[in-house]
Amino acid sequence: MAKRTRITVETDSLLIVRGLTSRRAWCDRCEAEVEIVAMKETGVMTNLDQAAIEEWLDSEDLHHLQSTDGSALICLNSLLARVQKTQTS
Ligand SMILES: [Zn+2]
């Protein structure tokens, strides 16, 4: 049974990341085992500009991992760090 993950980060802008399935995997850039979410299974609800979100997803700031079936996975650590960076900048 899939574990349901709901992560809410409250900044000036509200960001909710909802993964239907979450897994743990090794992230080379964190050098740690992290929680990962599959992009296609993730709903991002935010009052941030949608274009800004897409910019994040394409940026180097987010750690992209590749699953065995080739789908895009995102390291949650990097996503949360990116949100906080937005808050402080
Ligand atoms: Zn990472």
Side-chain angles (χ1 to χ4, degrees):
M1 186 174 143
K3 191 179 126 199
R4 192 179 178 85
T5 305
R6 186 189 185 89
I7 294 159
T8 307
V9 180
E10 291 192 42
T11 63
D12 289 343
S13 302
L14 180 69
L15 177 74
I16 299 169
V17 181
R18 224 179 29 207
L20 296 179
T21 54
S22 71
R23 282 158 269 180
R24 296 184 73 82
W26 184 263
C27 177
D28 280 339
R29 290 177 64 188
C30 291
E31 298 188 328
E33 196 185 70
V34 297
E35 197 121 8
I36 54 166
V37 288
M39 283 312 297
K40 64 179 178 190
E41 295 173 349
T42 304
V44 180
M45 293 189 298
T46 178
N47 59 2
L48 285 172
D49 189 357
Q50 192 63 38
I53 297 292
E54 280 167 25
E55 206 171 291
W56 290 7
L57 297 178
D58 288 338
S59 78
E60 286 286 298
D61 289 334
L62 291 190
H63 304 168
H64 294 258
L65 290 89
Q66 197 96 127
S67 72
T68 46
D69 67 7
S71 60
L73 302 170
I74 298 290
C75 161
L76 270 184
N77 276 4
S78 63
L79 182 57
L80 295 178
R82 187 64 189 81
V83 172
Q84 273 155 18
K85 195 166 142 188
T86 301
Q87 189 178 25
T88 54
S89 64

